[in-house]
Amino acid sequence: VRGILDGAAGPAAAASDGVDGRNRVPVLSRSREVTAMSLSRRVLLRGAGAATVTGALVATGMDPAAAVTRPTLRVGSRNQWVRKLQWRLYSHGYWLDRRYPGYFDTTTAQAVMAFQKMRGLTRDGICGPATWRALDSITRPVARTKSGSIIEVNKRRQVMIAVVNGRVAWVFNTSTGAPSTPTPVGRWRFQRAINGMDRSPLGTLWRPRYFYRGYAIHGSRSIPGYPASHGCARLHNKAIDFIWAHNLAPIGRQIWIY
């Protein structure tokens, strides 16, 4: 009995990782595991503390809410929870720069905002209680197209989706045209691209890929949670760099805007 409690009452027995809902428990030797299973649903007392053993899952006498409390994360946060958040988003297609694991940079905020948009949450790029709860049931988003490779821009959700071979590869946060300068709705193909800064009637565009007249997807330093551009689809500068590097919007590829 003492052996079981020694193995279960330490830091390794933290109830949950708080992101994917999978419980983490200490690894018991086979003899201890059998003993723990045989004591299922019993309450063992050790001094003033208590631990309930159910199968191989050990829950200590701490406040259950404390075991699942997850901190609010924002730009500048740096801890293990940021790493969990980044993995959760990236593994389900929400693009962010993976070179800074555990650090909440601006690309992580973009991924959080894209997820918030897809789930109808407040679009602030901050991972608070509501966003954490939604992340517990995260799934890879679904695009309109079911085949081929295409770029989709969902104006209502304010996200850009890169579909590769019929599968959603990446979801990017975007900001399309403001109400006074709306992004046109329709289906086009990318016609030309400029690998650098381009000063156009619609503004200063970083590495734009044009699809209709002067309209393009391009990098920008400002991608808010609402339509704010002069008609283009804005992306984080690192996001458009990623699109260029992975050839996600080559000349001739279709772009659907709806």
Side-chain angles (χ1 to χ4, degrees):
V1 171
R2 181 178 298 275
I4 297 172
L5 286 172
D6 288 342
S16 171
D17 67 6
V19 177
D20 58 8
R22 293 176 293 184
N23 294 308
R24 295 182 179 178
V25 297
V27 177
L28 303 177
S29 66
R30 182 168 182 80
S31 61
R32 290 185 179 184
E33 182 179 355
V34 172
T35 304
M37 292 295 290
S38 68
L39 294 174
S40 176
R41 301 182 184 280
R42 296 183 184 181
V43 177
L44 306 180
L45 300 179
R46 182 187 183 188
T52 302
V53 182
T54 305
L57 175 60
V58 180
T60 65
M62 69 170 60
D63 179 3
V68 297
T69 298
R70 294 171 286 195
T72 295
L73 304 175
R74 52 174 50 86
V75 172
S77 297
R78 188 191 300 269
N79 52 49
Q80 64 172 336
W81 290 100
V82 176
R83 186 185 294 268
K84 295 173 186 289
L85 168 67
Q86 291 170 327
W87 175 84
R88 193 71 167 154
L89 291 166
Y90 193 87
S91 64
H92 287 84
Y94 290 91
W95 176 85
L96 54 87
D97 189 342
R98 295 189 67 195
R99 291 178 295 175
Y100 309 102
Y103 175 65
F104 199 116
D105 67 335
T106 56
T107 70
T108 301
Q110 289 290 295
V112 170
M113 190 179 293
F115 174 71
Q116 292 170 333
K117 289 176 174 181
M118 292 299 294
R119 296 298 290 266
L121 302 173
T122 299
R123 305 171 174 186
D124 57 11
I126 298 172
C127 187
T131 300
W132 275 121
R133 286 193 297 271
L135 283 164
D136 289 335
S137 60
I138 188 174
T139 58
R140 186 173 290 269
V142 177
R144 286 195 177 184
T145 184
K146 306 302 179 185
S147 62
S149 298
I150 196 172
I151 294 290
E152 297 187 10
V153 177
N154 185 324
K155 293 178 61 176
R156 183 172 69 88
R157 295 290 187 189
Q158 289 290 286
V159 295
M160 181 180 299
I161 301 173
V163 179
V164 178
N165 297 324
R167 179 177 182 270
V168 173
W170 302 107
V171 180
F172 301 91
N173 185 45
T174 191
S175 176
T176 60
S180 59
T181 54
T183 302
V185 173
R187 298 183 179 185
W188 295 275
R189 293 184 183 273
F190 289 103
Q191 302 171 353
R192 60 189 180 92
I194 296 177
N195 190 9
M197 193 69 75
D198 186 30
R199 301 184 186 280
S200 75
L202 295 182
T204 302
L205 319 179
W206 173 244
R207 304 185 83 180
R209 304 193 72 88
Y210 292 93
F211 56 86
Y212 173 66
R213 296 180 179 174
Y215 296 96
I217 65 172
H218 65 85
S220 173
R221 290 181 296 179
S222 174
I223 309 91
Y226 52 88
S229 80
H230 294 99
C232 294
R234 295 180 186 174
L235 297 164
H236 192 285
N237 283 335
K238 289 185 177 179
I240 195 67
D241 289 345
F242 182 88
I243 288 173
W244 273 77
H246 294 270
N247 201 30
L248 295 177
I251 302 303
R253 178 160 295 178
Q254 282 196 326
I255 176 171
W256 295 1
I257 301 179
Y258 49 84

